[in-house]
Amino acid sequence: MKVLLNAGPWLPVPPHGYGGIENIVATLVPELRRLGVEVVLATVGDSELPVDEKIAAFPSGKFELLQRPYNQVCGVVPAHQLAVTRRLAEGDIDLLHDHVEAAGLMTAAALGPAAPPALHTLHWDLKKHPELYGAFDGGGRVVVNGVSADQLTHAPAALRAHAIGHVHLATPLAVDPPVTGKQGYAVVLGRINAGKGQDLAARLAHEYGFDLVLAGPVGPYHDADALAAADPQNPDVAFWREHVAPHVDGDRVRWVGTVVGPARDDLLASARVSLFPLRWNEPGGTAIVESLALGTPVVGISRGCLPELIEHGRTGLHTTDERELGELVLKAGRIEPAECQAEAARRFTPAVMAAGYLELYERLLSLTVRIDADAQSATV
Ligand code: UDP
């Protein structure tokens, strides 16, 4: 099977720092190749992931343009998608596995019956892009998958009609976690914004008397110097300034900016508990899975993918009631780190994720073979 995997024009694969989708692609591809899938990767020129073939419209990632006004950057994705379309037109690709937000889904559908079948992975909150998702028609050749079951339940009906299942996210840490000792603090790892709820975590740290480390960017700003000169109109910056910063005293509650690579693993593995005070339906929860893999129990709000990933009382504690969250942080000591790691090794390894995608590829291929056969018998 020859698959064109479209990782988009924003960052190399693997990314050098932040990069959720590019990380997942970097985790998936080696396992697919081990399973005998030939991978053509659509990415940027400086991607270093070994693949069977690489195509790129740009020598390096265009991520720094992402925050600019639309009319300045709207050529980036089309230029990348044109390279993808031209490669598909060569006729030797069996299946397109697409990860490009909105435009990837549109391109796959617009290519029509001559193009290979396409699986588009929805990495996003599906309340986004109602103009596209609300009336989507994939013509029988384009299907979507979620990164959790919960995510798909919130999809518009037209998009849900194209869903062929979900595949949970995975992390290489589930196979080979570093060994680290525990310290007393709780951590929130993720982009700092209202949906991720760092303000609630910070208030609870003061109220219940536990140490809290916040790690992650505020909008595009990765450290205190960048944040000091930030655009105050940015909604994440406004959220930080109004709701989080007043609780960050550098002692009980600290912000350490974006932490990547082994430092991130060490920060998460050494924490006593990993907090997810969610106010949105977290679609896939990479950081939740990473936390388990590193033996750090998860405490959070029962919404989005969290209850699918975390078994209450065994690998973490969760509640629908924000007021109960502080109590749960104090009770998290009853969760065994080894149990969390065993769960990650069973459910969230790269091999498990790749087997999930291979199953979806095979289902999509048999689905489209049936459509072709039906079309042929209708013309005879
Ligand atoms: N992350 C990181 N450093 C940080 C904050 C986050 O490396 O300071 C990583 C985190 O480990 C995870 C990803 O960014 O791999 C965030 O993915 P998740 O699905 O948790 O949230 P998203 O940002 O996609 O909503």
Side-chain angles (χ1 to χ4, degrees):
M1 191 192 297
K2 193 169 191 172
V3 174
L4 192 155
L5 215 139
N6 188 9
W10 303 115
L11 289 165
V13 181
H16 301 308
Y18 203 74
I21 292 169
E22 294 77 8
N23 254 321
I24 288 298
V25 170
T27 303
L28 176 62
V29 166
E31 293 298 327
L32 287 176
R33 295 181 78 214
R34 236 190 295 280
L35 293 168
V37 175
E38 217 178 308
V39 176
V40 177
L41 184 67
T43 177
V44 290
D46 59 356
S47 282
E48 284 172 352
L49 188 76
V51 286
D52 297 288
E53 183 188 332
K54 181 167 90 173
I55 58 166
F58 304 108
S60 60
K62 295 288 178 190
F63 189 70
E64 76 282 357
L65 300 183
L66 206 49
Q67 298 284 331
R68 299 240 188 108
Y70 178 76
N71 64 0
Q72 291 176 17
V73 302
C74 62
V76 172
V77 172
H80 174 87
Q81 291 298 101
L82 188 58
V84 170
T85 309
R86 292 212 164 118
R87 182 62 189 82
L88 290 172
E90 289 178 26
D92 60 331
I93 304 288
D94 297 308
L95 187 144
L96 166 65
H97 184 184
D98 182 83
H99 298 262
V100 173
E101 185 163 358
L105 182 66
M106 182 284 293
T107 307
L111 285 174
L119 174 68
H120 174 80
T121 297
L122 298 159
H123 291 272
W124 310 278
D125 174 357
L126 302 182
K127 287 205 192 76
K128 290 173 92 179
H129 317 310
E131 309 81 357
L132 177 65
Y133 293 163
F136 181 69
D137 182 0
R141 279 181 187 277
V142 182
V143 296
V144 300
N145 78 278
V147 289
S148 66
D150 177 83
Q151 180 201 29
L152 292 174
T153 65
H154 300 284
L159 189 62
R160 208 165 49 233
H162 291 76
I164 59 165
H166 68 274
V167 180
H168 285 141
L169 300 172
T171 170
L173 295 166
V175 181
D176 198 10
V179 180
T180 322
K182 287 285 177 207
Q183 296 176 33
Y185 61 88
V187 66
V188 183
L189 178 76
R191 292 176 290 117
I192 294 181
N193 69 27
K196 303 264 184 191
Q198 283 90 351
D199 57 324
L200 175 58
R203 278 192 277 115
L204 291 175
H206 289 291
E207 192 180 330
Y208 286 83
F210 58 85
D211 290 339
L212 178 69
V213 177
L214 303 174
V218 179
Y221 308 106
H222 293 283
D223 58 37
D225 288 344
L227 191 55
D231 169 9
Q233 302 297 325
N234 181 302
D236 295 338
V237 172
F239 169 72
W240 163 265
R241 291 195 175 155
E242 276 172 47
H243 300 287
V244 187
H247 307 291
V248 178
D249 59 1
D251 181 23
R252 184 57 96 191
V253 180
R254 292 186 296 133
W255 176 54
V256 294
T258 301
V259 183
V260 296
R264 185 229 25 208
D265 299 348
D266 192 51
L267 177 74
L268 196 50
S270 307
R272 185 171 62 80
V273 54
S274 180
L275 249 175
F276 292 86
L278 303 174
R279 290 211 193 82
W280 77 322
N281 295 320
E282 182 80 39
T286 318
I288 298 175
V289 167
E290 289 164 347
S291 182
L292 289 184
L294 291 166
T296 301
V298 167
V299 168
I301 297 291
S302 325
R303 60 183 298 175
C305 63
L306 193 139
E308 280 169 52
L309 306 180
I310 301 300
E311 189 182 322
H312 183 76
R314 191 166 66 83
T315 54
L317 298 169
H318 50 90
T319 172
T320 51
D321 185 355
E322 285 192 1
R323 286 165 307 180
E324 215 191 312
L325 209 54
E327 300 284 344
L328 296 190
V329 173
L330 302 184
K331 289 179 186 160
R334 67 166 76 149
I335 307 295
E336 282 295 329
E339 191 69 35
C340 299
Q341 286 188 305
E343 182 79 342
R346 190 172 67 79
R347 293 178 65 201
F348 305 122
T349 62
V352 168
M353 179 170 73
Y357 276 113
L358 196 56
E359 197 192 316
L360 295 191
Y361 295 171
E362 280 160 0
R363 272 182 37 213
L364 173 57
L365 289 173
S366 65
L367 208 75
T368 43
V369 164
R370 266 210 314 280
I371 290 170
D372 289 344
D374 288 350
Q376 250 175 14
S377 62
T379 52
V380 171

